[in-house]
Amino acid sequence: MVLERLQQMASHLTGQVAQHHPSDPLTTEEIAAAVAVVRREYTDLFFNAVTLWEPRKAEMMKWLASPATVPRPHRVADVVAIGRGSKVYDGLVDLDDGIILRWELTEGVQPLITMEDLNTVESVVRKDPKVIEQCGHIGIPPTDMHKVYCDPWTIGYDERFGSGVRLQQALMYYRPHVDDCQYTYPLDFCPIFNADTQEIVHIDVPKVRRQLNTAAPNNYHAEAIEKQGGFRKDLKPINITQPEGVSFTVEGRTLKWQNWNVHVGFNYREGMVLSNITFDDKGTVRPVFWRMSLAEMVVPYGNPERPHQRKHAFDLGEYGGGYMTNSLALGCDCKGAIHYMDAAFVNRAGEPQVIKNAICIHEEDAGILFKHTDFRDESCTVTRARKLVVSHVFTAANYEPVFSVYCVYWIFHQDGTIQLEIKLTGILNTYSLNPGESAAPWGTEVYPGVNAHNHQHLFCLRVDPNVDGSDNTVFEVDAVQGEGEVGSEENPYGNAFYARKTKLATAGAAMSDYNGSTSRTWDMSNTNKLNPYSKKPVSYRLVSREVPSLLPKEGSLVWKRAGFARHAVHVTKYDDDQIHPAGRHVPQTSGEPSQGLPAWIAADPSASLDNTDVVLWHTFGLTHFPSPEDYPVMPAEPMTVLFRPRNFFTQNPALDVPPSYSSTPSQMAAGKTGIRGIVDSISRLAFGGKQEKGGSGDCGGCN
Ligand SMILES: *[C@@H]1O[C@H](CO)[C@@H](O)[C@H](O)[C@H]1NC(C)=O
Ligand SMILES: *[C@@H]1O[C@H](CO)[C@@H](O)[C@H](O)[C@H]1NC(C)=O
Ligand SMILES: *[C@@H]1O[C@H](CO)[C@@H](O)[C@H](O)[C@H]1NC(C)=O
Ligand SMILES: [Cu+2]
């Protein structure tokens, strides 16, 4: 009966799939259908992931070129399931045909940890006699075990336990009161949890014990702030209004705004995936990027004492940026006129789950786009900019209270620029400190008895450029001095400098570090097409200035596991299967050999990257030396990466954005007023008073 119903579901779906864009994430119906197909043959499993297996690029391109004659790529689900004894299965399910295409037992790997995996650890920890004993040593009586909390992390890698058994490390805390921030009360020991047997298999106890912190709670919730004297009272509302509605349209998951066209995907791992990004250049639709996503990240901590070397979370590969995504609230997370998209995932039991409002899309005013004033007669042009923001927020892990919150904003600008902004907020990971003990140099005492360790947040961006076609070449661009000393023939005054371009010609050689002193950037160029004016290849330039080096040393655990973080830029030849730069299954990898990028490059280091379909991997981020201002919750710190058109257009591509005001010398001479574009009837003088007609008051001029 049940099987029949499930088969009906799968076949019912066959009729439906034709409507989905091939890059659309799997719907709840599709997730259910994929699970049903798997369950037909395998019953004793739980599900770790069911996600879109993206169409192979070649197949997709063939279909796009001739949709009438070439069959549409099938909808395929990529399935990760776990069986008894930590057995991991990787499978593919064809949803159009309702069949399993591939089903493999994958040995020696652990798929990412889900919220459901995490939720059981705390209750086990509280009941474990060995944990209760350790609590006793640092001043927590057995009657207080309900006040003990833990944040389970993947174990990272611990050579004593290897990769065969699914393990988590429990970072331990205490809450005097249920509303207190537990990070003020870190415990000094670290239990290790076996997810398969659901028991504590080991506890790492430091040589020097640290007693439970006795400092008063340090909280950020409203009740605590009221007690500290309350909130500021001098803030007046700011209303964002778009009286005539928004300027973007959404069809399915394709977004159109100001010449941009982009498909917005989503998966459990990377979160947002932007694909098929094109720019309409005065009637010519020009491809810019085929696919862009945050593909991985690692947060290595810098305290050398065991077991802190294990603290280096791969938030995407070990937890899933999509799985940890927040449901966003109107007016809090995004302000203005908002369009939301939901996200669908599978749960452990194989049921589809929906996170409402996972992606937020909205426009913002973006200050001045361009301006010029002629000092002779004050004729001028000023045009205001607008930006379109596509965002999601993920919390690692999705806890109350939380730690490490990443707000990811993909921002489209009217001048052809794409910007990725990431804001970092949340709560520091903390460790205990004895009275009189120094946190230096590996950490900072951010509050009495609270040690916040130094760490880095390193993000890896996967960029598949499509700059006027898929055959692209990547160049490293450095600002360098001209040859020759002062007085020489070629540089007589010593003032010469230029942009030196170095082709990243083969995969083995395409590893590039950041250099601030040469303002290093990277161009993704189509060398088959030159700009008619500059005679330089049409390009998009990666401009990224927050690019710390990986601080864990060569040969260290993090260096081995997070190969992508060894260089700011790697370039590889396109391969459909190369999506995850630290490997498909990241938890408990030893890094021997390194998975993902280093392995792909080593497999064919002489692969030519010249004028072919390439992928650029960019690692950026920040090194975080905590300070008291980051505690008990850290104000958001932004980081930005820009993709700027260079030699791509023949002039400023935003000249046709309606100006706020524009006048010419002849209009000024004739005493005429200039032209006004979008009239702003809301702006007014802060403290009232009369607005001068045609003066500074109502944008009748530029100054
Ligand atoms: C601004 O928004 C508030 C509600 O948040 C509303 O009460 C008020 O009328 C709005 N003001 C204007 C000028 O629209
Ligand atoms: C990509 O976008 C262009 C328009 O910008 C459209 O013609 C084309 O069909 C899109 N391809 C896919 C796969 O969505
Ligand atoms: C950065 O560039 C400067 C100037 O060319 C050079 O002296 C320096 O060695 C470079 N640094 C690195 C890390 O490559
Ligand atoms: Cu940090």
Side-chain angles (χ1 to χ4, degrees):
M1 262 300 271
V2 172
L3 186 68
E4 228 168 72
R5 214 182 70 78
L6 294 176
Q7 276 166 347
Q8 272 169 12
M9 240 160 102
S11 62
H12 162 68
L13 192 76
T14 314
Q16 260 195 0
V17 283
Q19 280 137 42
H20 297 300
H21 184 283
S23 305
D24 280 358
L26 296 186
T27 61
T28 52
E29 292 81 10
E30 288 176 312
I31 291 169
V35 169
V37 170
V38 171
R39 286 259 196 252
R40 243 188 263 157
E41 292 182 41
Y42 307 95
T43 46
D44 197 15
L45 292 172
F46 62 86
F47 288 82
N48 184 263
V50 175
T51 197
L52 176 71
W53 198 64
E54 293 177 22
R56 306 296 88 180
K57 199 172 182 177
E59 196 191 339
M60 182 90 154
M61 292 305 170
K62 262 192 224 148
W63 170 70
L64 272 178
S66 179
T69 59
V70 176
R72 173 183 271 268
H74 280 197
R75 297 283 282 170
V76 177
D78 178 345
V79 178
V80 182
I82 302 179
R84 299 280 154 225
S86 295
K87 286 203 166 60
V88 179
Y89 298 92
D90 286 296
L92 293 180
V93 175
D94 185 315
L95 294 168
D96 289 39
D97 296 343
I99 54 161
I100 296 179
L101 296 174
R102 185 193 297 169
W103 195 258
E104 284 163 7
L105 172 66
T106 314
E107 310 264 14
V109 301
Q110 294 299 335
L112 55 67
I113 189 167
T114 63
M115 290 311 134
E116 286 166 298
D117 287 333
L118 297 177
N119 283 336
T120 46
V121 185
E122 198 160 77
S123 57
V124 172
V125 158
R126 283 178 179 166
K127 287 191 215 106
D128 186 88
K130 300 182 297 294
V131 173
I132 296 171
E133 186 194 329
Q134 288 306 324
C135 284
H137 291 315
I138 56 168
I140 302 169
T143 49
D144 264 8
M145 286 309 292
H146 61 289
K147 297 184 178 178
V148 170
Y149 289 77
C150 86
D151 288 350
W153 287 30
T154 65
I155 195 160
Y157 179 76
D158 190 316
E159 66 288 353
R160 294 170 302 178
F161 306 104
S163 312
V165 184
R166 204 163 161 72
L167 297 171
Q168 285 144 37
Q169 51 182 329
L171 275 59
M172 304 294 297
Y173 304 93
Y174 179 85
R175 291 188 204 170
H177 181 276
V178 66
D179 292 339
D180 286 333
C181 172
Q182 69 198 31
Y183 301 95
T184 296
Y185 306 97
L187 311 189
D188 70 343
F189 61 93
C190 183
I192 295 171
F193 174 82
N194 178 329
D196 207 31
T197 59
Q198 307 260 308
E199 59 191 5
I200 303 299
V201 291
H202 183 80
I203 301 183
D204 282 313
V205 179
K207 283 195 205 86
V208 179
R209 296 311 299 261
R210 295 175 179 89
Q211 295 295 302
L212 181 66
N213 198 2
T214 53
N218 188 358
N219 294 325
Y220 57 88
H221 53 63
E223 207 181 315
I225 304 310
E226 293 295 356
K227 275 188 204 147
Q228 282 188 25
F231 292 102
R232 300 172 191 192
K233 296 192 170 54
D234 52 356
L235 274 184
K236 306 236 165 74
I238 288 186
N239 291 10
I240 313 265
T241 58
Q242 291 191 283
E244 294 172 32
V246 298
S247 323
F248 60 89
T249 60
V250 183
E251 226 175 277
R253 299 185 68 107
T254 299
L255 197 57
K256 275 194 173 51
W257 179 81
Q258 294 290 291
N259 302 325
W260 288 110
N261 195 317
V262 53
H263 181 276
V264 182
F266 200 85
N267 65 52
Y268 73 102
R269 188 78 175 257
E270 302 166 285
M272 285 186 293
V273 174
L274 303 184
S275 63
N276 195 23
I277 304 175
T278 63
F279 192 93
D280 185 336
D281 182 9
K282 300 191 162 63
T284 308
V285 173
R286 299 177 68 184
V288 177
F289 293 100
W290 177 250
R291 191 182 186 280
M292 290 174 124
S293 65
L294 261 190
E296 190 51 275
M297 59 175 295
V298 66
V299 185
Y301 281 76
N303 186 304
E305 280 163 47
R306 192 173 184 87
H308 304 303
Q309 87 285 358
R310 281 200 313 245
K311 279 199 316 201
H312 55 270
F314 291 72
D315 294 87
L316 305 188
E318 293 184 324
Y319 302 86
Y323 275 160
M324 297 186 299
T325 211
N326 296 188
S327 181
L328 301 173
L330 207 57
C332 301
D333 298 296
C334 288
K335 199 169 153 75
I338 308 298
H339 178 74
Y340 286 121
M341 288 179 180
D342 299 342
F345 306 115
V346 74
N347 71 6
R348 221 173 132 89
E351 295 146 352
Q353 306 282 300
V354 173
I355 297 183
K356 294 293 287 176
N357 304 345
I359 299 176
C360 157
I361 301 167
H362 74 291
E363 280 177 286
E364 279 178 24
D365 181 273
I368 288 174
L369 177 58
F370 54 84
K371 172 168 184 165
H372 180 72
T373 305
D374 191 331
F375 71 86
R376 294 171 189 82
D377 52 18
E378 296 199 333
S379 64
C380 69
T381 295
V382 57
T383 301
R384 279 197 82 76
R386 199 76 73 79
K387 59 188 183 184
L388 182 75
V389 186
V390 186
S391 63
H392 87 126
V393 173
F394 67 92
T395 300
N398 215 343
Y399 263 79
E400 272 316 321
V402 299
F403 60 102
S404 286
V405 178
Y406 301 101
C407 314
V408 181
Y409 305 89
W410 284 100
I411 303 171
F412 291 84
H413 294 274
Q414 290 164 307
D415 65 353
T417 300
I418 300 174
Q419 176 184 8
L420 170 65
E421 183 170 80
I422 298 183
K423 283 184 180 167
L424 201 60
T425 172
I427 305 183
L428 294 165
N429 172 262
T430 58
Y431 191 64
S432 53
L433 199 64
N434 272 328
E437 185 185 356
S438 169
W442 320 117
T444 303
E445 187 164 10
V446 292
Y447 185 68
V450 179
N451 183 358
H453 292 160
N454 308 339
H455 59 279
Q456 299 190 286
H457 300 265
L458 301 173
F459 303 86
C460 182
L461 194 55
R462 183 183 182 278
V463 181
D464 183 356
N466 199 17
V467 181
D468 275 338
S470 62
D471 287 345
N472 293 161
T473 309
V474 178
F475 296 87
E476 186 183 88
V477 186
D478 290 295
V480 295
Q481 297 175 328
E483 298 294 317
E485 297 308 313
V486 178
S488 67
E489 206 173 318
E490 69 264 49
N491 193 7
Y493 309 104
N495 63 316
F497 62 86
Y498 69 108
R500 183 182 64 205
K501 292 197 181 188
T502 312
K503 186 190 287 181
L504 301 182
T506 59
M511 297 172 197
S512 174
D513 297 319
Y514 181 62
N515 193 337
S517 60
T518 62
S519 309
R520 181 170 286 174
T521 55
W522 296 268
D523 278 1
M524 287 160 267
S525 305
N526 187 331
T527 52
N528 309 301
K529 197 174 164 196
L530 302 186
N531 183 294
Y533 300 161
S534 67
K535 316 289 187 299
K536 294 178 179 176
V538 293
S539 304
Y540 256 75
R541 172 168 295 178
L542 166 62
V543 180
S544 183
R545 303 181 186 104
E546 274 146 318
V547 194
S549 323
L550 177 69
L551 290 172
K553 289 192 170 165
E554 180 162 350
S556 69
L557 188 54
V558 178
W559 185 89
K560 288 189 287 187
R561 298 186 73 212
F564 64 87
R566 293 174 201 165
H567 300 284
V569 165
H570 290 88
V571 188
T572 54
K573 196 165 157 49
Y574 178 85
D575 182 322
D576 286 319
D577 291 324
Q578 296 179 357
I579 299 284
H580 306 303
R584 175 171 163 90
H585 299 295
V586 180
Q588 294 176 249
T589 49
S590 65
E592 287 179 354
S594 294
Q595 289 195 53
L597 258 183
W600 304 331
I601 293 168
D604 190 4
S606 59
S608 170
L609 304 176
D610 194 359
N611 197 19
T612 183
D613 193 359
V614 293
V615 173
L616 181 150
W617 307 82
H618 174 44
T619 298
F620 66 100
L622 54 84
T623 301
H624 190 173
F625 298 111
S627 95
E629 289 88 344
D630 302 341
Y631 202 67
V633 64
M634 179 182 161
E637 177 163 0
M639 275 161 276
T640 270
V641 174
L642 298 171
F643 296 90
R644 306 200 62 215
R646 296 280 85 187
N647 305 292
F648 189 79
F649 297 108
T650 49
Q651 60 174 5
N652 174 350
L655 290 181
D656 59 346
V657 173
S660 297
Y661 179 78
S662 180
S663 60
T664 59
S666 63
Q667 285 168 334
M668 297 303 280
K672 289 187 191 149
T673 53
I675 289 167
R676 288 207 254 161
I678 296 175
V679 177
D680 175 3
S681 57
I682 284 199
S683 294
R684 51 186 171 157
L685 299 180
F687 303 109
K690 260 209 140 120
Q691 297 176 31
E692 282 171 56
K693 214 51 205 149
S696 57
D698 65 349
C699 202
C702 285
N703 35 21

